[in-house]
Amino acid sequence: MSGETITQKQPYGEGLTALLAESDSVEVQVVGSSNTHLQNSQINPLESGGVDSVVWNLGVTWDYEFPFEDLLHALDSGKLQAQEKHHDITIPINGHVFAIAGGGKGTGGGKGIYYSYFLKRGGITLKLTKGATADEAQQNANVMVECGSLFLMLNGIDGAWATVRNIVEALGGRIFWHKFSRLDICADLPGIDTADLARMVWEKKCVTRATKKDYHEDGSKLTGVTVGKGDIMLRIYDKLHEVRHGHPDLEKEKYLIEKRWGKSPDHAMRVEYQLRRPALKELGINTMGDFYAKGAALAAYLTGDWFRIVKEEPDRKNNHQTRQSTAPEWVAVQEAFRSWMKKPRESVERKQRGMCKDPIRLVKQASGCILAAVADLTQELHMTREEFRVHAQEVLEWGIDSMGDSGFREKFTKKAAQRVVSYGGAVLPNSFIATCEEPWVDEGEDWGVVARWKGAQAHG
């Protein structure tokens, strides 16, 4: 499917706002699940699928109603005890009990954010840095939240998000911004043998934007397939076999029967999409508001444009893939996703974005490189800022002159072609558009970068 990419952020919705306003405790009990249609009043209705895993990046400011120093003291004390005991321990914080791990973990191969504390409550894990305030530029999260499949199946994504907000508030924090880091959505089709669809993919009866396929076998029988790698992945496998034999989990099997399958079937095919931050950003699924507005359209894109199984092998030589009719087995998958998603209000289309970044961060990075070059060249231990300015100008001019006129034009044009993006789909204040000519502004949030850059220039 196709459609204009909408980047305007959506509100959380009156239902969730009311739920949060009425809640006084950390644990939020939600009747039913966000996976169930609101108009369905049936007792314990079966759900065809739902959000299976979610990771949020949060910008949190602490020190509300619970001193940040007290929070850090409790976290450091609990972490030390967990290290001494070599396992997670439970600790009280502001009248609530959490499990805490003895270690932390960095991201980006050690070059990214370091999360010093791991807290757990129920099926939710919070990773916290020592940062006291939210990053206003929304570049670096000081809290990462992971929510597991069982908690999501029982409470839905609405209940998970409400619980996260209440946990953060119980710790003395306020969430000022949030972004999806990872989102897994799935649908279950009980009674269908996964091998049938895996065989159709093996026979190339599929149309997909992905290039990589991995097949799973049990002896000579195909038991599943993984399509794609990196930012978007699709897994088709037997969920019953996984919870009963692969990774036995009696509790999860019980709730799968109760919430999804209705009874213990012979087979239970799971179709699951895993989306990471870059793909979610391209598809315009950044916040919970985006998911509420575009969730169904996202599923339609994944099961239609990104991958679908067709009746016959397409004529790829003559580029006739889109002419093939969707196989009935895959139509059932599309309907399973459609039945638990809300009606879409907006369309999604994956849009390759330019590589433009925050110019303030790039300037700081360049300044650091020039600083190192001047220190290496001069071999001086002390220098005034004005002396450095002279040396920096010499270094910069040498770097530019070394490229030559034609070399500079070629390199600049190549770099600009990678980074410059249009205004397509942007949602910007009219007053700002009237005065702004920067071509690299593409999202509603990016105009703030321009304002901060001009403000930084004005204040030196």
Side-chain angles (χ1 to χ4, degrees):
M1 64 182 287
S2 63
E4 183 183 0
T5 301
I6 306 296
T7 58
Q8 188 174 17
K9 304 299 183 289
Q10 301 294 325
Y12 296 133
E14 295 179 357
L16 183 56
T17 302
L19 174 65
L20 294 174
E22 294 173 0
S23 176
D24 295 324
S25 63
V26 174
E27 295 296 341
V28 178
Q29 298 299 324
V30 180
V31 178
S33 167
S34 64
N35 303 339
T36 307
H37 290 291
L38 297 178
Q39 67 270 23
N40 194 335
S41 60
Q42 177 183 350
I43 298 176
N44 295 325
L46 293 178
E47 301 157 353
S48 59
V51 175
D52 189 63
S53 179
V54 63
V55 180
W56 287 290
N57 288 334
L58 308 181
V60 176
T61 295
W62 302 100
D63 217 16
Y64 289 86
E65 299 179 5
F66 186 67
F68 185 60
E69 291 183 359
D70 291 352
L71 175 62
L72 286 183
H73 176 74
L75 294 173
D76 286 330
S77 176
K79 182 177 178 179
L80 180 60
Q81 293 179 53
Q83 291 173 349
E84 293 173 348
K85 294 181 179 295
H86 303 289
H87 60 73
D88 294 2
I89 67 164
T90 57
I91 59 172
I93 303 179
N94 197 22
H96 305 282
V97 178
F98 297 88
I100 187 169
K105 187 175 182 180
T107 59
K111 298 180 180 179
I113 302 171
Y114 184 81
Y115 292 98
S116 301
Y117 312 105
F118 282 25
L119 286 178
K120 297 180 181 179
R121 188 178 179 95
I124 294 178
T125 300
L126 289 87
K127 302 178 181 180
L128 290 75
T129 71
K130 293 186 176 182
T133 59
D135 174 11
E136 293 183 3
Q138 301 189 20
Q139 298 289 338
N140 298 309
N142 57 351
V143 177
M144 177 184 286
V145 179
E146 300 175 357
C147 191
S149 59
L150 184 58
F151 187 93
L152 285 162
M153 183 163 53
L154 295 177
N155 298 278
I157 192 170
D158 285 359
W161 179 237
T163 303
V164 167
R165 289 171 64 93
N166 278 271
I167 289 176
V168 170
E169 290 185 8
L171 294 173
R174 298 289 185 274
I175 300 173
F176 281 85
W177 57 263
H178 71 280
K179 298 177 182 179
F180 284 112
S181 176
R182 173 176 166 177
L183 179 67
D184 295 5
I185 60 174
C186 70
D188 284 359
L189 288 87
I192 296 182
D193 191 346
T194 306
D196 294 338
L197 269 75
R199 185 178 62 255
M200 296 176 76
V201 178
W202 176 266
E203 294 171 352
K204 299 182 179 180
K205 295 179 180 179
C206 63
V207 177
T208 178
R209 295 174 184 260
T211 57
K212 183 177 177 61
K213 301 181 185 70
D214 291 322
Y215 298 91
H216 313 291
E217 298 178 312
D218 184 0
S220 60
K221 180 182 178 181
L222 284 172
T223 58
V225 60
T226 299
V227 180
K229 63 177 182 179
D231 299 338
I232 300 181
M233 290 180 60
L234 163 66
R235 294 178 62 216
I236 303 174
Y237 62 101
D238 191 329
K239 189 65 177 180
L240 177 64
H241 183 273
E242 181 188 76
V243 298
R244 187 171 289 177
H245 303 292
H247 302 282
D249 190 329
L250 294 177
E251 182 182 18
K252 184 173 287 188
E253 180 181 354
K254 169 191 171 184
Y255 285 113
L256 281 166
I257 293 173
E258 178 182 319
K259 302 283 289 184
R260 299 278 174 84
W261 305 339
K263 62 180 181 180
S264 181
D266 294 330
H267 304 282
M269 184 175 71
R270 164 69 59 90
V271 178
E272 181 176 297
Y273 289 91
Q274 178 188 108
L275 298 101
R276 296 191 178 275
R277 174 69 189 153
L280 290 165
K281 186 175 182 180
E282 290 175 4
L283 291 164
I285 311 293
N286 295 299
T287 67
M288 286 292 290
D290 295 331
F291 181 74
Y292 292 145
K294 303 179 183 180
L298 171 66
Y301 168 82
L302 294 172
T303 61
D305 283 3
W306 192 82
F307 178 90
R308 66 187 176 99
I309 293 177
V310 294
K311 293 181 179 179
E312 300 292 338
E313 181 181 354
D315 181 3
R316 292 180 172 84
K317 182 178 180 180
N318 295 307
N319 198 26
H320 291 166
Q321 296 97 314
T322 59
R323 300 183 183 181
Q324 284 292 336
S325 299
T326 304
E329 294 88 346
W330 195 251
V331 171
V333 172
Q334 293 174 327
E335 179 56 35
F337 274 98
R338 189 158 43 240
S339 68
W340 72 264
M341 285 284 197
K342 298 177 181 178
K343 182 180 179 181
R345 297 196 300 271
E346 300 176 8
S347 298
V348 298
E349 178 184 15
R350 193 170 187 186
K351 179 181 178 182
Q352 293 292 338
R353 294 175 46 80
M355 295 173 61
C356 60
K357 296 183 179 180
D358 186 336
I360 297 176
R361 298 184 69 193
L362 292 176
V363 170
K364 288 181 177 180
Q365 180 180 351
S367 299
C369 292
I370 294 177
L371 189 72
V374 169
D376 289 343
L377 289 169
T378 63
Q379 293 292 294
E380 295 182 15
L381 292 177
H382 304 287
M383 183 179 296
T384 67
R385 193 167 67 162
E386 291 306 317
E387 290 172 335
F388 171 74
R389 194 187 302 275
V390 174
H391 290 302
Q393 185 66 28
E394 293 175 353
V395 169
L396 184 60
E397 289 180 356
W398 178 87
I400 296 174
D401 292 342
S402 66
M403 288 187 280
D405 288 341
S406 60
F408 172 79
R409 286 196 298 269
E410 180 182 354
K411 290 182 178 181
F412 184 84
T413 300
K414 183 178 180 180
K415 183 68 68 174
Q418 293 176 330
R419 307 175 78 84
V420 173
V421 293
S422 67
Y423 274 119
V427 180
L428 302 173
N430 292 331
S431 60
F432 182 79
I433 294 176
T435 59
C436 176
E437 297 181 354
E438 281 79 354
W440 42 267
V441 178
D442 186 55
E443 285 192 329
E445 61 190 25
D446 289 340
W447 73 269
V449 173
V450 184
R452 290 189 298 108
W453 170 242
K454 291 184 176 180
Q457 290 178 301
H459 292 86

